[in-house]
Amino acid sequence: MERTDFDFLAARCKGPVLLPGQEGYDEERTGFNLAARHRPEVIVGAARPDDVAAAVAFAVARGLPVAVQNTGHGFSVPAEGGLLVTTRRMTTVRVDPAARSAYVEAGVRFEQLVPEAARHGLAPLNGSAPHVGVVSYTLGGGLPLLGRTHGWAADRVLAMDVVTADGERRHVTPEAEPDLYWALLGGRDNFGIVTGMEFGLVPVVRLYGGGLFYDAEQVPGLLEAYAGWTTTVPDEMNSSVALIPFPDDPQVPEPMRGRRVWHVRIAFTGSAEDGTRLVEPLRRLGPRLLENLRDMPYEHNADIHDDPPVPMPWAADNIFLADPDGGTVRTLLKHISDEAAPPAIVEVRHLGGALSRRPAHPNAVGRRDAPFMLAVLVPLATDSAADAHAFAFLRHLFEELDPWTAGRFLNFMGHGAAADQERTRTAYTPDDHKRLTALKAAYDPGNTFRLNYNIAPGTGA
């Protein structure tokens, strides 16, 4: 980049503007998933919406593609060149207890929002990890811990402040800009960079939640039993089950050390007494290594999944399932039990309930009719051969699961080949994808926002 170009951009931004080799460049470009990093020609560390608008206008004028990153959990395509906008400095949080709503800027994480909302007996529809960015999570749909009870996080959005590819700042609502509103919620960063978002909160003070842990060798039929159990529970019961290969490491609790463990996660919004009764059939499945179910303040909801807060490299993919029947389970267990398989973490989430309902204001979040989602995450190493084996494992596993596949969820799709346009298409119904391509042509005809799960401009025909 010419020095005059750099100076021109830097003069218009309050936040830092960084070039390769400058101090802070490597830290700024690194996200939570360390498997791949952006290597942009220039980074704008946005401190305000005007910085985002300046960055987008600069990139469009020079034909540069644009990527956006807050925490880097939903990593899709690494920027090789182009311009990267980071939003982590934009951290305004406002909670309106009377309206039961919140406004957050694009850099806010749930660990900042949840305590602020809890002061008023309210909660956002956050996921399992508190260190995830609120805006990016919601734009992908936002699969909440309490999804069966309250629906998708995207369905609660009231308004968004957006910078589109023409460099314009827009205030988007279902009434003022219904097409752009519809496309952003589910289309993620294909249609602009959201600098702020207003959404509704729910009245939640406490939960009956935690986990049940079983040795997978001692309770081999747990997944089928769990699927049957889910047909008996009300919408107030939110749950998932994960198969986790714990290392033989002193940092792992002794009962789980060196074992493959089923971890059943529970988040029930009813009473502790009713929760205890509903979970009892799961307790009878076999001996438990550990149990930590309890009545808890909603502020402690991150304890349920206990997702690691430390950045790490991983590969991942997911599918929506009609039902984890015998064929699905046998195929899954065959692959992950193979001695040559990498140490994959597998989770089946129970959907349905409020997640299956249409929102008051339509959006592009699709595949609402699926009752389950299967996600697989494989930790990666620095060994390129081992990482290639991990990607091949995921590809082969999901090819064999294709007969049971009913689409994908964008936020858990992974990066690299998992982010190609054909794979991205599976996150939507055919009609919704056609509409998205037509709106992409209207709002970003040059596909400036293409370093993502990309939706290319089209006619929609």
Side-chain angles (χ1 to χ4, degrees):
M1 175 177 292
E2 297 291 336
R3 184 71 202 187
T4 53
D5 285 347
F6 173 82
D7 291 342
F8 174 84
L9 181 57
R12 283 157 177 76
C13 295
K14 182 179 179 181
V17 178
L18 301 168
L19 300 177
Q22 288 187 320
E23 183 178 356
Y25 174 89
D26 282 341
E27 179 184 359
E28 195 73 25
R29 70 190 177 98
T30 301
F32 195 85
N33 187 347
L34 302 178
R37 296 184 184 185
H38 293 296
R39 293 179 178 83
E41 185 177 343
V42 59
I43 302 175
V44 174
R48 56 184 182 173
D50 282 347
D51 291 3
V52 177
V56 171
F58 178 89
V60 171
R62 289 156 181 80
L64 299 175
V66 174
V68 60
Q69 177 174 281
N70 177 12
T71 66
H73 281 77
F75 200 100
S76 50
V77 176
E80 297 291 344
L83 186 149
L84 171 65
V85 175
T86 60
T87 63
R88 66 187 189 188
R89 292 169 182 81
M90 301 173 66
T91 57
T92 296
V93 177
R94 293 194 298 267
V95 173
D96 184 339
R100 290 185 176 178
S101 67
Y103 176 86
V104 300
E105 285 192 308
V108 173
R109 305 179 184 208
F110 280 110
E111 61 194 0
Q112 299 163 265
L113 174 59
V114 169
E116 186 64 26
R119 292 177 51 223
H120 308 286
L122 299 170
L125 293 182
N126 56 284
S128 60
H131 41 279
V132 167
V134 177
V135 167
S136 50
Y137 157 92
T138 305
L139 292 175
L143 179 55
L145 194 67
L146 302 182
R148 282 179 43 79
T149 310
H150 295 290
W152 298 92
D155 295 352
R156 298 272 170 168
V157 173
L158 304 171
M160 292 169 280
D161 295 318
V162 187
V163 176
T164 46
D166 54 10
E168 293 296 315
R169 292 178 56 183
R170 302 169 185 251
H171 186 67
V172 176
T173 69
E175 297 79 22
E177 298 230 32
D179 284 340
L180 187 54
Y181 174 94
W182 180 87
L184 285 165
L185 295 171
R188 283 195 21 153
D189 49 348
N190 272 281
F191 300 89
I193 296 179
V194 174
T195 61
M197 179 180 285
E198 182 185 3
F199 47 87
L201 303 172
V202 295
V204 176
V205 176
R206 51 149 298 280
L207 288 175
Y208 176 73
L212 304 165
F213 298 82
Y214 302 86
D215 186 313
E217 302 302 320
Q218 295 180 15
V219 192
L222 185 140
L223 192 54
E224 296 98 318
Y226 168 77
W229 173 80
T230 62
T231 65
T232 70
V233 299
D235 292 355
E236 292 77 17
M237 177 61 75
N238 303 270
S239 67
S240 68
V241 57
L243 181 60
I244 306 172
F246 283 102
D248 189 3
D249 187 299
Q251 295 186 10
V252 176
E254 194 281 329
M256 274 95 78
R257 201 173 297 163
R259 300 175 186 259
R260 284 201 313 158
V261 175
W262 293 114
H263 179 196
V264 180
R265 290 86 175 260
I266 299 293
F268 179 61
T269 58
S271 69
E273 293 77 14
D274 286 344
T276 300
R277 174 180 54 80
L278 287 167
V279 170
E280 186 55 33
L282 297 176
R283 289 194 177 94
R284 294 197 296 264
L285 294 177
R288 296 179 298 285
L289 300 171
L290 185 70
E291 177 179 335
N292 61 10
L293 287 170
R294 64 194 185 279
D295 204 69
M296 63 170 67
Y298 189 77
E299 273 191 271
H300 295 179
N301 69 83
D303 295 348
I304 296 173
H305 284 238
D306 197 23
D307 290 335
V310 181
M312 59 177 284
W314 76 83
D317 205 348
N318 75 90
I319 54 174
F320 287 117
L321 292 171
D323 182 29
D325 63 14
T328 316
V329 173
R330 283 192 299 273
T331 300
L332 177 63
L333 295 182
K334 178 187 75 172
H335 282 271
I336 64 177
S337 301
D338 190 317
E339 290 184 0
I345 299 168
V346 176
E347 183 185 45
V348 173
R349 295 198 184 201
H350 184 206
L351 306 180
L355 292 166
S356 64
R357 297 171 196 147
R358 294 294 169 184
H361 302 294
N363 59 52
V365 178
R367 308 299 184 182
R368 291 172 180 260
D369 54 347
F372 295 95
M373 184 182 69
L374 166 68
V376 181
L377 181 149
V378 181
L380 300 177
T382 55
D383 185 313
S384 58
D387 287 356
H389 174 60
F391 280 106
F393 164 80
L394 278 173
R395 184 175 62 254
H396 186 48
L397 169 62
F398 283 95
E399 284 173 355
E400 293 224 351
L401 288 171
D402 188 65
W404 298 277
T405 297
R408 281 177 167 79
F409 179 46
L410 215 59
N411 280 1
F412 292 172
M413 200 179 291
H415 69 285
D420 67 33
Q421 288 187 13
E422 285 306 307
R423 189 70 62 92
T424 298
R425 183 190 296 266
T426 66
Y428 309 101
T429 65
D431 286 346
D432 282 354
H433 190 264
K434 286 180 181 179
R435 184 181 176 190
L436 286 166
T437 63
L439 291 172
K440 178 74 169 183
Y443 286 100
D444 183 17
N447 205 8
T448 294
F449 302 113
R450 61 181 179 270
L451 300 173
N452 50 24
Y453 299 113
N454 192 234
I455 299 166
T459 63

